[in-house]
Amino acid sequence: MRGAVLLLITLALFLACSKQPDAGKQLRTAQSWHATIDLVSDALHRGKVTAKYAKQVAEVAQEELAKEGGDDHESHVAIEAARALRAETEKRR
Amino acid sequence: MKLINDVLDKQLIDRDCRKCGRVDGIVIELREDEPPRVAAIECGFAVCARRVSERWERFAVVAGKRLGVRKSPRYRIAWEKVLDTGLDIDVDIDSEDAPPLAWEKWIREHIFAKVPF
Amino acid sequence: MKNIGQVALGVITGIGGFLEIGTMATSAEAGAAFRYSLIWSVVLGTICLIFLIEMSGRHAAISKHSLAGAVRERFGFPFVVVPRAAELIVNLLLLGAEIGGVCFAIKLLTGVPIQLIAIPIGIIIWILIWLGTLDGIEYGTAALGMLAIAFVVAAVKYHPPLHELARGFAPAMPHHDAAHYWFLVISIIGANVSPYMLYFYSSGGIEDEWDEKSLGTNRLTAILGMGFGAATAITVIICSAHVFEPLGIRIDHYEQVAFVLVPAFGKWGVPLFAIILGVCCFGAATEVSLASAYSLAQSLGWNWAEDDKPQREARFALTYTVMLFFGGVIMATGIDPLKLTMLTMGLTAVVLPLAIIPFIIIMNDEKYMHEHTNGPIGNTVVVFTIVLTAIVALVTIPLEIMGGS
């Protein structure tokens, strides 16, 4: 019984740790964060959110995109958009 | 009376209506040529631990000796002190200075006494 | 009049208390990923919760015994040791997540990092519990949590298509991302049917000295309070579906969720979200820490009562003190609050069956319930909930690996 439980735990850990980077997931993440940046950026220009909030979003977007490590065009565009938003929030403060 | 159904694991209430633990074990005295009789009820983490496994009991006894504030990790209340049984067990003891509330007293005096409000 | 007042307070507690970090996170993620198609899981979880809450209250009123105490008395120490230990661990993680929610709300408004304020927030919650009474804590935080009505207002402003909304109330197979869909179903059920709510409600009933006359109020409070609370959670799904889904935004961080009220309230959107989240998580954190102390004290036979001086209930008080300290420490490590929340919702689903199985025995035990034992409908719902939560518990770990955030 204990052996079976140990085997299950080992299998679960192996599956969790051995997940290969999913190219489809990286693309969806990049698209999602790009859309988030655009949404927040637009709201910032219209005065509907503060620069403080927009900066928090930009920082989190940069962290997540760096973690995903996507090398496709969408990821690069998203990272650039996050950088631009962050720079703009710092100019406004 | 069914001992396991009506006594074991029930809430103990002392003579001041304070909760003072649960019946963690029952001590039965085996007598020669006479039927067994209930001698006492037993409380304490070591008693609970014994019901899970002997290894847990050994751990509880060692931990109790090293970290405990009571003289013993087990405490017995003589069956004669049991006043009433029902959903709770009323016992004729003053638990404030008795082992069941030893930890309660220790925490109050050594930890919460320092709280300014 | 008194009964109407009590029901009203129960409804307020339900609305203000239902929304917390778990329901906020799961509802926002559900709306963003699957529009309205997960509303049925909120409804399902809430129906189960209403029945269980009503039973907990009825048990407290008739037997004058706590739920956790009755489980120990009826099933014995060897039965309770594993579920209690599992519940305490899950509660600790959940407490960390709730403290994280409060800290995140403060971060949204001020920019102060979560790690810096996690332990101080734990201390503030501790002071409130130490000095306050149960009613004061419960009703105070619930009244402030009524600000969650803002989600209802926003949902109306967003004009959701009613026919599509109605379809969301019926279970359906997902069109995409099946693993993520079912993981969210499990998480929503885990967020709605949390064991800590049952112990908290039961203990509150005993502290308030409910009796047979309270049964009607108890039933109404369970139905209306949880019902209105669930309606608020559904409005979070609606708002998230309107704001995020059309743009393909998946919720990975609370910073994204914070935008959900901006289209409805403009520049007040983010601050309003922060205040609602902060207050609701603050209230939930007090409930989780007290519920943990209640269930441990009741299982082991200690003195327990929030309304009594803490020095008289030293072990009970020490339990919530330790929980709050370590809850604060968990968030001070820098762990992401959203990821911790989703993990905790999944783990809650795993321990649920162990918390609910005793209901089928206790609620039919005439020694405790006298003539107020469960009827056939109540027993059917309990058995259904046990089967549902058992299936959920079995598939949670694989789904968490495959479909979790």
Side-chain angles (χ1 to χ4, degrees):
Chain A
M1 177 65 190
R2 265 185 229 156
V5 170
L6 204 59
L7 184 66
L8 268 170
I9 293 170
T10 312
L11 189 66
L13 282 169
F14 175 74
L15 279 171
C17 300
S18 67
K19 265 167 71 170
Q20 297 298 325
D22 175 355
K25 184 172 177 278
Q26 277 171 354
L27 179 64
R28 279 195 303 274
T29 301
Q31 285 169 340
S32 171
W33 279 108
H34 191 184
T36 306
I37 297 289
D38 284 346
L39 188 66
V40 172
S41 193
D42 179 59
L44 179 68
H45 290 135
R46 290 194 283 134
K48 293 201 168 180
V49 297
T50 60
K52 188 183 290 177
Y53 169 69
K55 186 179 173 211
Q56 288 181 26
V57 174
E59 282 172 350
V60 155
Q62 282 182 296
E63 273 168 31
E64 284 297 305
L65 289 164
K67 239 190 278 177
E68 282 294 325
D71 208 23
D72 52 279
H73 171 73
E74 186 62 45
S75 297
H76 289 306
V77 169
I79 289 168
E80 202 38 56
R83 208 174 282 149
L85 178 61
R86 188 167 176 177
E88 187 175 347
T89 60
E90 267 149 17
K91 248 193 286 179
R92 283 173 182 243
R93 296 185 76 194
Chain B
M1 180 189 295
K2 296 172 188 170
L3 286 177
I4 290 175
N5 212 32
D6 299 335
V7 178
L8 193 60
D9 294 306
K10 292 291 183 285
Q11 178 75 62
L12 288 168
I13 309 284
D14 76 356
R15 66 167 86 103
D16 295 320
C17 298
R18 287 198 72 179
K19 298 183 183 70
C20 54
R22 288 187 175 274
V23 179
D24 299 319
I26 298 171
V27 180
I28 294 179
E29 182 191 351
L30 299 173
R31 302 178 289 181
E32 252 186 71
D33 303 326
E34 283 186 74
R37 74 170 197 99
V38 180
I41 51 183
E42 225 179 5
C43 312
F45 189 61
V47 182
C48 290
R50 184 176 62 221
R51 293 167 62 191
V52 179
S53 76
E54 281 179 23
R55 190 185 298 177
W56 274 90
E57 187 193 10
R58 283 196 295 272
F59 168 75
V61 169
V62 167
K65 282 184 181 150
R66 292 228 175 120
L67 307 168
V69 297
R70 292 198 279 236
K71 291 196 187 90
S72 163
R74 293 186 185 85
Y75 172 68
R76 284 187 182 179
I77 301 171
W79 186 251
E80 290 72 34
K81 296 274 187 184
V82 173
L83 298 173
D84 191 23
T85 61
L87 285 185
D88 300 326
I89 310 282
D90 295 329
V91 285
D92 187 22
I93 60 169
D94 179 4
S95 60
E96 181 60 35
D97 290 313
L101 292 189
W103 267 109
E104 188 90 7
K105 217 171 154 193
W106 189 92
I107 293 165
R108 200 189 315 149
E109 288 168 4
H110 291 86
I111 299 176
F112 290 146
K114 297 177 173 52
V115 175
F117 40 76
Chain C
M1 259 328 272
K2 187 182 169 204
N3 282 347
I4 295 172
Q6 276 177 326
V7 173
L9 281 168
V11 170
I12 291 171
T13 310
I15 297 172
F18 199 94
L19 213 52
E20 40 76 56
I21 201 83
T23 39
M24 190 76 84
T26 52
S27 300
E29 215 174 303
F34 299 102
R35 274 180 86 76
Y36 313 117
S37 39
L38 281 168
I39 287 177
W40 66 269
S41 54
V42 176
V43 174
L44 178 63
T46 305
I47 290 172
C48 296
L49 180 66
I50 286 172
F51 274 89
L52 294 172
I53 288 275
E54 189 278 331
M55 287 176 205
S56 305
R58 182 165 22 112
H59 181 267
I62 300 300
S63 72
K64 313 282 186 221
H65 269 233
S66 62
L67 197 59
V71 173
R72 164 83 194 260
E73 286 155 19
R74 205 59 182 76
F75 292 85
F77 182 81
F79 177 88
V80 303
V81 72
V82 168
R84 280 302 158 266
E87 281 163 19
L88 277 173
I89 293 168
V90 172
N91 281 354
L92 183 60
L93 295 175
L94 180 58
L95 183 55
E98 301 292 354
I99 290 174
V102 179
C103 296
F104 174 73
I106 295 172
K107 184 191 170 197
L108 265 183
L109 295 171
T110 63
V112 175
I114 290 175
Q115 290 99 298
L116 281 182
I117 47 177
I119 292 177
I121 291 296
I123 292 171
I124 290 170
I125 296 170
W126 177 82
I127 291 172
L128 183 74
I129 297 176
W130 183 271
L131 295 175
T133 61
L134 185 65
D135 281 352
I137 292 167
E138 210 182 349
Y139 298 141
T141 51
L144 287 170
M146 285 291 284
L147 284 168
I149 296 284
F151 280 100
V152 179
V153 173
V156 170
K157 277 186 163 199
Y158 291 158
H159 298 299
L162 292 177
H163 62 280
E164 203 186 326
L165 190 59
R167 274 207 303 272
F169 282 82
M173 296 304 284
H175 297 300
H176 60 97
D177 266 338
H180 191 206
Y181 180 90
W182 291 112
F183 173 73
L184 279 173
V185 169
I186 281 164
S187 302
I188 286 170
I189 292 173
N192 287 354
V193 192
S194 298
Y196 84 84
M197 294 169 81
L198 307 176
Y199 298 124
F200 185 79
Y201 191 77
S202 160
S203 306
I206 292 172
E207 291 222 47
D208 286 343
E209 295 176 353
W210 289 356
D211 55 21
E212 212 168 322
K213 294 195 206 93
S214 315
L215 292 182
T217 308
N218 168 54
R219 187 169 287 184
L220 269 177
T221 302
I223 295 169
L224 294 178
M226 299 304 117
F228 277 111
T232 317
I234 289 170
T235 59
V236 176
I237 293 180
I238 293 171
C239 292
S240 182
H242 174 83
V243 175
F244 302 121
E245 198 273 339
L247 302 173
I249 294 175
R250 297 293 180 98
I251 303 298
D252 289 315
H253 272 265
Y254 281 124
E255 278 82 354
Q256 292 167 297
V257 187
F259 194 88
V260 77
L261 293 177
V262 171
F265 294 102
K267 65 178 183 182
W268 296 107
V270 172
L272 196 53
F273 174 85
I275 294 167
I276 293 169
L277 183 71
V279 167
C280 289
C281 290
F282 192 92
T286 60
E287 278 191 27
V288 174
S289 43
L290 279 172
S292 307
Y294 280 137
S295 80
L296 190 65
Q298 290 156 6
S299 299
L300 298 179
W302 303 343
N303 274 304
W304 61 268
E306 162 56 8
D307 289 342
D308 253 336
K309 284 194 190 340
Q311 287 86 348
R312 274 182 58 86
E313 332 289 351
R315 287 173 292 184
F316 170 77
L318 186 66
T319 306
Y320 64 70
T321 304
V322 168
M323 290 289 286
L324 282 165
F325 175 73
F326 284 107
V329 164
I330 287 173
M331 284 323 300
T333 59
I335 192 168
D336 177 62
L338 182 60
K339 289 184 173 44
L340 176 64
T341 304
M342 298 311 287
L343 170 71
T344 311
M345 294 304 106
L347 291 177
T348 302
V350 175
V351 305
L352 262 178
L354 298 172
I356 296 168
I357 284 169
F359 272 80
I360 198 73
I361 305 291
I362 288 166
M363 294 310 298
N364 292 292
D365 190 337
E366 281 174 2
K367 239 174 32 182
Y368 287 95
M369 302 305 298
H370 307 305
E371 68 270 24
H372 297 282
T373 53
N374 270 1
I377 297 174
N379 284 334
T380 306
V381 171
V382 174
V383 170
F384 170 78
T385 308
I386 291 169
V387 171
L388 173 69
T389 52
I391 294 170
V392 158
L394 275 172
V395 301
T396 292
I397 306 279
L399 276 178
E400 184 123 20
I401 293 167
M402 284 158 36
S405 39

